[in-house]
Amino acid sequence: MSVQKNISLLPYNSFHIQASAAEFSTVKSVEELMNLLNGPAKLSGLILGGGSNVLFTKNVDGLVLKNEIKGMDEVKEDASHIYVRAGAGENWHAFVEYTLGRNWGGLENLSLIPGSVGAAPIQNIGAYGVELRDVFYELDAYDRIEKKVFTFGLNDCQFGYRDSIFKSSGKGRYVILHVTFVLHKNPVLNTHYGAIQDELRKMGVHSPTIQDVSRAVIKIRRSKLPDPAELGNAGSFFKNPVVDQKTFLFLSERYPEMPAYPHEEQSVKLAAGWLIEQCGWKGYRKGDAGVHKNQALVLVNYGKATGSEIFSLSEQILQSVQQKFGIQLEREVNVF
Ligand code: EPU
């Protein structure tokens, strides 16, 4: 564990934005973390996982920590479940593959999501009909105020759509160390999402296994979403907006083809990608900042875009969706 000075954060963010950290260190254990947090360096508050949900708009003044706590272990089992604990610094998809290789079901729909295990609960990652909270058992996190490690069960995390306590009231307070998942020994498939059914049909699979579902999800993601290794991006830049019935009825009368999904408490979730596309942004590019050609919810860096350029593009998109539909989109990505 050594603290480095003036480090480029370019290799540590999937948007490939050039920004520097005044100080930078990786942490591989709780002890290392505590030494750094309670040491002399001024902490910036930024703790990076896979760096796949951040946009840097300026250089970071202070110490940036990169969580590299590793490990994947079964902690207990019962007749139908297996409880697997992973270090926050493990790569998410590598962990998904580890569980698929042992035929433990539950994470297949969440295949190929960029990022780390520790970042996954922060925004309750979700895709193709499954969210992290559906397979979550508990996590342990270091509390920077109490200076102690606490265990959080399902209810403590206050999971919501792309949301949790770690993104709201507890933002910046906790450092996630390990996450434990409850997986199925006899997998129960979740294939109600139309795109998965279509893909399985194309693959000629009639009785899918969890490995087939994972392969289908990987194919869909590769066809729609840019690979951050090739084109800088942070997945969905905005959340899908949730509106009340009245707003939904008003809009659906004007736009009968508008995609919409029932949400909690009589509300309706709309597709931000569709709203943005309707405003004419899909495939837009100015300099190196752009909107992806296959999925308008994803902003991309074609090479040398700055965080501020991406951010100002997102401002323009917010304004035009507000003007055309009267809907205020919210960013999903963390802006620093
Ligand atoms: N759509 C358009 N134009 C676009 C994009 C989408 O018309 O440019 C329409 C689609 O045709 C579809 C609807 O919008 O009718 C929804 O699109 P899609 O199924 O691609 O999903 P999404 O709502 O845009 C969400 C998640 C993704 C996740 C997919 C699949 C959010 C913010 N995004 O996207 O998550 O992979 O569902 O479950 O909830 C991420 O969070 O980074 C992410 C990629």
Side-chain angles (χ1 to χ4, degrees):
M1 174 191 77
S2 67
V3 176
Q4 297 166 280
K5 306 252 182 218
N6 285 324
I7 286 293
S8 166
L9 294 171
L10 193 131
Y12 304 112
N13 75 96
S14 64
F15 247 128
H16 307 161
I17 299 289
Q18 177 53 54
S20 65
E23 296 191 300
F24 179 88
S25 181
T26 55
V27 283
K28 294 193 164 50
S29 67
V30 187
E31 292 69 35
E32 280 189 3
L33 177 77
M34 293 207 275
N35 285 340
L36 281 165
L37 291 182
N38 304 318
K42 176 186 152 213
L43 198 72
S44 65
L46 181 57
I47 297 171
L48 278 174
S52 57
N53 206 34
V54 289
L55 177 68
F56 293 118
T57 56
K58 53 183 183 303
N59 293 332
V60 185
D61 179 26
L63 173 67
V64 171
L65 296 181
K66 171 142 169 45
N67 192 331
E68 287 193 350
I69 298 173
K70 298 283 165 109
M72 300 192 246
D73 307 284
E74 332 168 16
V75 285
K76 62 176 181 175
E77 62 184 298
D78 56 34
S80 42
H81 299 105
I82 185 110
Y83 297 76
V84 195
R85 189 174 96 130
E90 290 286 354
N91 171 270
W92 174 261
H93 185 63
F95 175 59
V96 172
E97 285 186 319
Y98 168 89
T99 64
L100 289 172
R102 284 155 183 78
N103 212 29
W104 299 331
L107 301 184
E108 56 280 3
N109 295 45
L110 303 177
S111 295
L112 212 63
I113 295 184
S116 64
V117 166
I122 298 179
Q123 58 154 344
N124 181 28
I125 57 168
Y128 308 105
V130 173
E131 285 185 342
L132 175 122
R133 67 173 147 192
D134 303 326
V135 282
F136 177 86
Y137 181 62
E138 64 180 28
L139 62 78
D140 51 19
Y142 179 73
D143 181 342
R144 291 169 58 186
I145 295 179
E146 299 278 333
K147 300 194 190 308
K148 274 198 274 197
V149 174
F150 287 101
T151 299
F152 289 73
L154 185 63
N155 291 333
D156 304 321
C157 294
Q158 298 171 17
F159 288 125
Y161 164 58
R162 292 294 193 280
D163 199 22
S164 75
I165 188 172
F166 309 105
K167 220 180 158 179
S168 53
S169 60
K171 191 172 176 176
R173 174 166 178 178
Y174 301 102
V175 184
I176 296 175
L177 308 170
H178 300 95
V179 188
T180 306
F181 298 85
V182 51
L183 303 177
H184 297 276
K185 288 182 179 172
N186 304 305
V188 187
L189 296 185
N190 195 328
T191 53
H192 64 267
Y193 203 91
I196 295 195
Q197 288 174 13
D198 295 346
E199 194 60 52
L200 288 169
R201 213 169 297 125
K202 270 196 243 161
M203 287 160 62
V205 175
H206 302 293
S207 321
T209 60
I210 52 173
Q211 291 78 11
D212 293 326
V213 173
S214 171
R215 273 191 284 276
V217 166
I218 289 173
K219 282 194 176 187
I220 303 166
R221 290 192 75 95
R222 290 212 167 116
S223 72
K224 282 197 175 178
L225 298 165
D227 178 354
E230 287 159 19
L231 184 60
N233 77 91
S236 300
F237 196 91
F238 303 97
K239 286 188 187 186
N240 283 329
V242 173
V243 299
D244 58 24
Q245 286 287 344
K246 201 168 138 221
T247 311
F248 164 66
L249 290 173
F250 175 77
L251 288 173
S252 62
E253 237 168 67
R254 286 170 185 222
Y255 307 99
E257 72 291 4
M258 178 181 74
Y261 315 91
H263 194 64
E264 294 150 13
E265 291 166 19
Q266 311 243 316
S267 55
V268 180
K269 200 196 264 181
L270 305 180
W274 185 87
L275 299 169
I276 297 168
E277 182 175 352
Q278 296 304 306
C279 294
W281 290 106
K282 197 168 179 170
Y284 173 90
R285 174 170 178 175
K286 184 177 177 207
D288 276 350
V291 178
H292 193 243
K293 62 182 189 333
N294 298 336
Q295 168 50 293
L297 201 45
V298 179
L299 303 193
V300 293
N301 172 11
Y302 284 100
K304 291 204 158 36
T306 62
S308 306
E309 284 167 342
I310 303 268
F311 186 80
S312 78
L313 173 57
S314 75
E315 280 290 311
Q316 286 178 273
I317 293 172
L318 283 173
Q319 276 168 21
S320 68
V321 170
Q322 173 69 51
Q323 251 166 26
K324 189 171 169 73
F325 296 101
I327 290 177
Q328 187 64 40
L329 291 182
E330 226 182 282
R331 292 181 183 86
E332 194 207 276
V333 166
N334 295 302
V335 178
F336 283 95

